[in-house]
Amino acid sequence: MNRTEWPLWEIFIRSQHGLAHKHVGSLHAPDPEMAVKNARDVYTRRNEGVSIWVIRSADITASSPGEKEPLFEPANSKVYRHPTFFPMPDEVKHI
Amino acid sequence: MTTDRTLFDYLLRLADSDLILAQRLGEWLGHGPVLEEDIAFANVGLDLLGQARMWFAYASEVETRMNGRGRTEDELALLRDGGDFRNLLLVEQPNGNYADTIARQFYFDVWHELLLTRLERSADARIAEIAAKALKEVTYHVERSTDWIIRLGDGTDVSHARMQAAIDVLWPYTGEMFTADATDRALTGDGVACDSESLLAPWRERVGAVLSEATLTLPSAEWMQRGGKQGVHTEHLGHVLAEMQWLQRAYPGAQW
């Protein structure tokens, strides 16, 4: 018999209203609806979420680890992009 | 009229069907076709076990009122013999292949949801309370088993054939859900239980609609098995109980 694997899905859960969906892991499912149900059973057993997103892992385009240097290193030498040059008044908290 | 005797009997029916189906679903643990299904069915099983505990706890109170001493949840679940179990014959049927398990679950879930929706308005406040709590879980169970019926029925030639075979084989065990005996009638008269027969039409409508979407055929056989609610079971229950009860039988009172 021809045995085909179910596609892999990446699961995103929003833990409470106002927060963003966060990647929690991946699982297998035959289609998007079942992926949501499986995510409910695998990742929200302990009241972790109020909303679930699923996306086929194959549909994600990722940066390549080999391109790490050209992509990220140039930012290292640009300290002026960090807001560390402004004197802060002492009265201002939580910034 | 509702007596403690009939109420106790009715509560055992509710509890035992949940308990035995939970035990059956537990048998899939570590054997499911994929990890995700393993977890999903374990969740459903644990939901049902939790519901069984609530019915047993109430049954125990009723028994105390009746006899001065009521058996505990554990005693009711683990120290009764087969003839004292009041579960539906449907839930004790073996897991078979995955289509068999899904068909059994689907038949049960649709009925369970209809039943709890009625019991939510029971004249007995405790029954209404437990039913309302259970209903939230069961609404999800129905969605899940419905999804699987459609996907397997309207899937490959093999899955379609297996699904139809499972639907046909288990069909004669569904009649029992809709027949009323003296216990049912006594409680229905007082609005404590719901009229089992009145669940048949909505159940057939829902099951028929799902099967048709799944390109499956609703069986037409008229002859139905019965006896579970009166304690007359198929040969499978003994095996379920042997596995479920052996520890308490071998080491009475053992705890961990």
Side-chain angles (χ1 to χ4, degrees), chain B residues 14-227:
Chain B
L14 294 170
D16 288 345
S17 285
D18 287 344
L19 176 69
I20 299 300
L21 187 52
Q23 178 70 20
R24 277 295 191 208
L25 293 179
E27 291 173 20
W28 271 113
L29 260 184
H31 301 277
V34 291
L35 174 75
E36 289 81 356
E37 281 303 302
D38 238 47
I39 298 176
F41 258 143
N43 277 348
V44 173
L46 286 175
D47 284 349
L48 293 172
L49 188 65
Q51 296 173 19
R53 290 194 57 183
M54 293 191 282
W55 295 123
F56 277 136
Y58 186 27
S60 174
E61 285 173 37
V62 173
E63 198 178 34
T64 306
R65 205 157 69 198
M66 205 159 53
N67 297 342
R69 186 195 171 274
R71 283 165 285 181
T72 64
E73 286 171 44
D74 280 346
E75 287 170 328
L76 286 170
L78 302 173
L79 298 177
R80 269 181 307 146
D81 292 332
D84 296 328
F85 271 76
R86 294 288 179 263
N87 58 281
L88 298 167
L89 299 176
L90 176 67
V91 300
E92 69 200 37
Q93 299 311 303
N95 286 344
N97 63 36
Y98 217 62
D100 295 319
T101 295
I102 296 287
R104 184 185 64 199
Q105 195 66 31
F106 174 64
Y107 282 153
F108 179 81
D109 288 343
V110 174
W111 169 80
H112 204 194
E113 187 183 34
L114 290 167
L115 173 74
L116 293 172
T117 307
R118 300 290 186 83
L119 291 183
E120 211 181 12
R121 299 192 299 271
S122 166
D124 183 314
R126 282 292 295 281
I127 290 184
E129 194 184 315
I130 297 171
K133 193 154 185 277
L135 188 57
K136 291 194 192 80
E137 296 171 339
V138 170
T139 307
Y140 178 74
H141 301 171
V142 185
E143 273 183 39
R144 207 184 150 84
S145 48
T146 298
D147 275 353
W148 272 119
I149 293 281
I150 295 169
R151 279 158 179 80
L152 293 176
D154 194 11
T156 65
D157 289 347
V158 175
S159 73
H160 176 90
R162 286 192 180 174
M163 201 64 249
Q164 185 66 58
I167 286 288
D168 293 343
V169 166
L170 291 169
W171 179 252
Y173 296 103
T174 61
E176 199 186 13
M177 304 193 277
F178 311 105
T179 51
D181 65 2
T183 297
D184 290 307
R185 278 189 289 271
L187 273 72
T188 306
D190 294 340
V192 170
C194 90
D195 174 8
S196 314
E197 287 159 17
S198 72
L199 300 177
L200 179 59
W203 183 84
R204 281 212 177 185
E205 196 186 335
R206 174 85 184 260
V207 167
V210 172
L211 292 185
S212 124
E213 192 180 343
T215 72
L216 297 165
T217 311
L218 185 76
S220 53
E222 294 290 326
W223 188 82
M224 291 290 173
Q225 299 275 2
R226 59 191 166 158

Side-chain angles (χ1 to χ4, degrees), chain A residues 3-59:
Chain A
R3 200 185 158 87
T4 45
E5 289 280 329
W6 289 346
L8 190 67
W9 303 80
E10 298 300 324
I11 310 302
F12 298 80
I13 307 265
R14 179 159 72 190
S15 56
Q16 48 179 290
H17 291 289
L19 293 184
H21 285 76
K22 207 175 155 193
H23 185 236
V24 293
S26 52
L27 49 73
H28 289 93
D31 54 51
E33 289 78 24
M34 292 306 287
V36 169
K37 288 206 167 60
N38 285 347
R40 179 260 191 198
D41 284 323
V42 175
Y43 291 113
T44 69
R45 289 164 47 101
R46 297 175 190 84
N47 229 352
E48 291 95 335
V50 294
S51 166
I52 298 171
W53 285 353
V54 301
I55 183 167
R56 234 180 227 267
S57 309
D59 288 340

